[in-house]
Amino acid sequence: MAMNINNLSNNTQVKQKVEQQTQVKQQATQNSVSAEQSKVASKDSVSITPQAKQLGELQKKANEGSAVNQKKVEQLKSAIMSGEYKVNPEKLAASIANFEFKLG
């Protein structure tokens, strides 16, 4: 005759119930953490200043447009090739000095 001491044959049932309780506790903890995070996240906000919007529009226009005025380049090329392009050394020196002054 087999004896059941301290309910040893139902050991797997006890383990299953403990595991189920642990899972329920973990899910409850995760749900409460998620609820807290959603409350915090709903309080955050972002606003863009009008200056930032304007800067974004200017950057978009700059990216769309050509960086080189091809017509002006062609005019300068033809003036140099024909010998019509003259450099004013005084104006060039003043421009270089002004540029250096602005840099530093």
Side-chain angles (χ1 to χ4, degrees):
M1 179 171 153
M3 281 180 137
N4 186 2
I5 301 174
N6 294 332
N7 214 8
L8 291 177
S9 66
N10 292 333
N11 194 18
T12 56
Q13 291 176 347
V14 171
K15 284 182 182 178
Q16 287 175 348
K17 288 193 180 210
V18 169
E19 287 176 3
Q20 286 176 348
Q21 289 174 348
T22 304
Q23 288 175 353
V24 168
K25 287 179 183 177
Q26 287 175 347
Q27 287 176 348
T29 303
Q30 288 176 349
N31 289 343
S32 66
V33 168
S34 296
E36 287 296 321
Q37 288 175 345
S38 67
K39 287 179 185 177
V40 171
S42 66
K43 294 178 184 177
D44 294 340
S45 65
V46 176
S47 61
I48 299 174
T49 64
Q51 293 85 359
K53 289 179 183 177
Q54 185 180 19
L55 180 60
E57 291 172 10
L58 290 173
Q59 286 177 334
K60 185 178 177 182
K61 286 180 183 178
N63 289 337
E64 289 174 355
S66 176
V68 178
N69 184 345
Q70 198 61 38
K71 183 177 178 183
K72 181 77 170 182
V73 170
E74 293 300 324
Q75 288 175 348
L76 288 171
K77 278 184 181 180
S78 65
I80 291 169
M81 296 293 269
S82 67
E84 295 174 8
Y85 185 76
K86 304 293 182 202
V87 176
N88 183 345
E90 293 165 357
K91 184 177 178 184
L92 178 61
S95 295
I96 292 172
N98 188 26
F99 178 74
E100 292 289 328
F101 178 74
K102 288 180 180 180
L103 285 179

